[in-house]
Structure formats: structure tokens, C-alpha cells
Amino acid sequence: MEIGFIDSFFNWFSDHPEVLIWLGGSSLIIFIFSLLGISWLVAQIPEDYFLPEKRHPSLWKVKAPILRLIILIIKNILGAFLIIGGLMMLVLPGQGLLTIVTGFLFVDYPGKFKLERRMVAHPAIFNSLNWIRAKSNKAPLRI
């Protein structure tokens, strides 16, 4: 029964090649975005972002709650697209795991800051992030 399912799965894709073209094209776009965007995004992180004492609302969040809500919605939608694209790249060409992790960094959820700090505290990740920041002439991150 399992072989019949696999055959019908491949037959469906052979009958609908436009789906493969769409999946391949979206995978390529997300791959290019992740290559170009990751360096820029890492350079934009404030050097003291991962310090626990910095965790207080910034002034623009207090003075412009509607703008904050709009940005939060856009950021979560972008994160969801990256997660979905990363899942697709697990079976298609591209950096699936890196894209999924990037998507989770965009999406807001409880415990996100603790998870980010734990990930960034790993020496290999911390050194890689600071290497990227050095290439962008930015101060190293502090944890």
C-alpha cells in the first residue's frame, strides 16, 4: 500500500509540473534572501540586545502602539513564510534549517528571548555572529 502511495505522489507531480516550478522558484528566492539577508540582519542587532538588563520597552513602542502592532504583524507573517519556506527546503534545494531558524527569530512567542540567549551563548554561534558583525564594521555582541 505504501508503494502505491509513493507512485501516486510522483504521478501527481508529473501531471502538475507547474507546482514543481513554483516550489523550485520559491526555494531559490528564499535561498537568495537568506544568503543576502542574514549578514545584514546580524549587523542590525544592537550589540547589547542579548543583555538581560536591556529588556525594557523602547520609546517608540510606548509612543506609537499602532505602528508597533503593524510592524509586529508584518514581522510574524515574514517569520511564518520563512518557516514554511525552510520546511520546503528540507526536501528542495536550499538552506532549510538556517531558514527555519531565521523564521523562528522573526516570530514572537513566549520564552523567545531565553531561547535566543541560549543559542547565541553557544561558542560556535557566538563567534560566527561576531565574525559577520566584524565584516560589517559593527561592535561585537555582548551576552
Side-chain angles (χ1 to χ4, degrees):
M1 180 162 177
E2 186 175 313
I3 294 176
F5 172 76
I6 293 172
D7 285 340
S8 64
F9 181 76
F10 285 118
N11 286 338
W12 187 87
F13 274 114
S14 65
D15 292 341
H16 300 90
E18 65 277 358
V19 173
L20 286 177
I21 292 170
W22 181 84
L23 288 173
S26 61
S27 176
L28 180 65
I29 289 168
I30 293 172
F31 175 73
I32 291 170
F33 171 76
S34 66
L35 281 180
L36 298 176
I38 296 296
S39 297
W40 182 81
L41 288 170
V42 168
Q44 300 308 309
I45 300 171
E47 66 183 86
D48 59 351
Y49 176 80
F50 295 105
L51 296 177
E53 58 270 9
K54 178 148 186 328
R55 303 311 296 175
H56 53 80
S58 63
L59 192 58
W60 75 271
K61 289 181 181 179
V62 174
K63 288 192 172 188
I66 300 297
L67 179 61
R68 178 182 182 274
L69 180 63
I70 292 169
I71 290 172
L72 190 65
I73 290 169
I74 291 170
K75 190 176 75 140
N76 282 314
I77 290 172
L78 178 61
F81 277 124
L82 287 172
I83 292 168
I84 292 167
L87 290 171
M88 290 183 342
M89 282 189 269
L90 291 176
V91 294
L92 297 170
Q95 305 177 42
L97 292 176
L98 179 61
T99 306
I100 291 169
V101 169
T102 305
F104 275 113
L105 292 175
F106 273 90
V107 177
D108 286 320
Y109 50 88
K112 176 183 171 186
F113 182 70
K114 288 180 183 178
L115 179 63
E116 288 175 341
R117 271 185 56 92
R118 196 170 30 203
M119 287 173 44
V120 169
H122 190 276
I125 294 174
F126 186 70
N127 293 335
S128 297
L129 291 174
N130 282 330
W131 179 80
I132 292 170
R133 291 179 62 81
K135 295 287 185 188
S136 301
N137 295 322
K138 299 284 186 173
L141 294 171
R142 294 182 286 149
I143 53 173

